[in-house]
């Protein structure tokens, strides 16, 4: 995905969006306590085709100390401050559907701390099938882009999925990596500058 070409997606009306996906609140303290500053939670929308494992991934993340906002039908709307706030339709609150297990009540299984009523959307992670090959630059930077929801640009990562990948760990790390980028640090640029210095070239 080209970050210079954001695209509109998701059903939208009146400053709201209703994308298909699972809305999770990630607490960096649970997974990456060494980001260098006081961490804050991130609202992450996990999207992807049916059968990619979104709900199972959400269950894994909840078991690791993160919180569920909505499964499959989050409502995203602009709040008075201009942030895109994610909530869950009232009848669906507390519930998560996982293939093979059916409908689960997250509140009863994990307690109220495993749920959040609302949270701003900070990041979209889109699960995709693992390709046979990928552009060389994506091996350095990841497949980042921008998605427009309710008129707001949201950073988006296309995350390849295949059997055996630890998706919960990858999502946690992607969120921590995103936080570092927003604070001005980019590992790919750092590596490029180190190599340039080694070769006597101007850093980026």
């Amino acid at each position: 995905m080209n970050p210079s070409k954001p695209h509109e997606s998701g059903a939208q009306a009146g400053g709201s969006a209703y994308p298909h996906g699972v809305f999770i609140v990630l607490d960096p303290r649970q997974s990456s306590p060494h980001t260098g500053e006081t961490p804050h939670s991130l609202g992450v929308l996990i999207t992807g085709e049916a059968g990619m494992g979104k709900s199972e991934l959400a269950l894994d993340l909840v078991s690791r100390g993160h919180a569920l906002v909505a499964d499959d039908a989050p409502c995203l709307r602009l709040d008075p401050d201009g942030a895109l706030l994610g909530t869950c339709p009232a009848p669906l609150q507390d519930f998560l559907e996982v293939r093979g297990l059916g409908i689960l009540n997250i509140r009863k299984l994990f307690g109220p701390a495993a749920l959040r009523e609302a949270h701003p959307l900070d990041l979209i992670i889109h699960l995709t099938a693992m390709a046979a090959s990928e552009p060389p630059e994506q091996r350095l930077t990841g497949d980042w882009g921008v998605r427009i929801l309710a008129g707001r640009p949201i950073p988006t990562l296309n995350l390849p999925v295949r059997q055996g990948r630890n998706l919960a760990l990858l999502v946690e790390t992607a969120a921590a990596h995103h936080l570092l980028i927003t604070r001005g640090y980019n590992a790919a640029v750092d590596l490029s500058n180190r190599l340039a210095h080694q070769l006597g070239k101007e850093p980026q």
Side-chain angles (χ1 to χ4, degrees):
M1 184 184 298
N2 187 340
S4 66
K5 296 182 179 180
H7 68 282
E8 294 271 359
S9 57
Q12 303 187 32
S16 299
Y18 304 87
H20 292 292
V22 182
F23 197 111
I24 289 283
V25 177
L26 297 184
D27 182 353
R29 291 171 297 185
Q30 300 292 340
S31 54
S32 184
H34 306 297
T35 53
E37 296 183 25
T38 302
H40 65 274
S41 57
L42 278 178
V44 179
L45 177 65
I46 301 170
T47 64
E49 298 295 329
M52 295 298 289
K54 298 184 295 295
S55 294
E56 184 176 344
L57 171 57
L59 180 62
D60 197 356
L61 290 168
V62 166
S63 75
R64 296 162 76 106
H66 306 292
L68 175 71
V69 175
D71 175 33
D72 191 48
C75 175
L76 304 174
R77 58 171 52 92
L78 293 175
D79 69 8
D81 296 326
L84 194 56
L85 194 67
T87 61
C88 182
L92 304 180
Q93 289 176 359
D94 300 351
F95 296 112
L96 178 70
E97 179 190 0
V98 178
R99 292 191 180 190
L101 294 179
I103 303 298
L104 304 177
N105 187 309
I106 297 301
R107 184 181 301 274
K108 291 187 178 298
L109 286 170
F110 296 96
L115 295 161
R116 293 284 285 272
E117 290 187 5
H119 195 282
L121 176 61
D122 300 294
L123 177 66
I124 297 171
I125 295 180
H126 183 67
L127 305 183
T128 64
M130 177 75 77
S133 61
E134 59 183 333
E137 64 272 12
Q138 288 183 10
R139 294 182 63 87
L140 295 176
T141 63
D143 188 5
W144 289 89
V146 174
R147 180 174 170 183
I148 304 298
L149 288 174
R152 300 287 294 179
I154 306 297
T156 301
L157 173 66
N158 288 322
L159 183 62
V161 173
R162 70 178 178 191
Q163 187 174 5
R165 298 201 89 187
N166 188 334
L167 291 183
L169 176 61
L170 291 174
V171 167
E172 289 176 331
T173 305
H177 179 59
H178 171 69
L179 277 178
L180 288 175
I181 291 175
T182 62
R183 294 168 181 168
Y185 176 79
N186 187 306
V189 173
D190 188 5
L191 174 60
S192 178
N193 288 340
R194 291 187 189 189
L195 294 175
H197 178 75
Q198 185 74 18
L199 297 173
K201 297 180 180 180
E202 288 293 326
Q204 296 183 13

